[in-house]
Amino acid sequence: MTTINKLIRDEDGATAIEYGLIAALIAVGLIAALSSLGGSLSRTFTGVGNQLNTANA
């Protein structure tokens, strides 16, 4: 019976789950931010590449 009581009082697993949820939320936020910036960054790098190719020619 004491083993069951120890398992009920143990909160280490709950803490690990909370850290996992926080990490998942951060990952979702990063994915959303990078997705919205992706097109803009692509256009910027394409423009820089075109200017470099023009300057090199």
Side-chain angles (χ1 to χ4, degrees):
M1 194 64 158
T2 59
T3 305
I4 294 173
N5 286 335
K6 285 181 186 178
L7 286 174
I8 291 173
R9 288 190 204 119
D10 187 16
E11 295 183 1
D12 289 338
T15 304
I17 291 172
E18 289 168 357
Y19 284 133
L21 289 173
I22 291 169
L25 265 166
I26 290 171
V28 167
L30 284 173
I31 290 169
L34 292 176
S35 293
S36 66
L37 291 175
S40 175
L41 285 175
S42 177
R43 285 189 296 276
T44 301
F45 284 122
T46 300
V48 170
N50 289 338
Q51 289 180 0
L52 288 173
N53 287 334
T54 303
N56 192 25

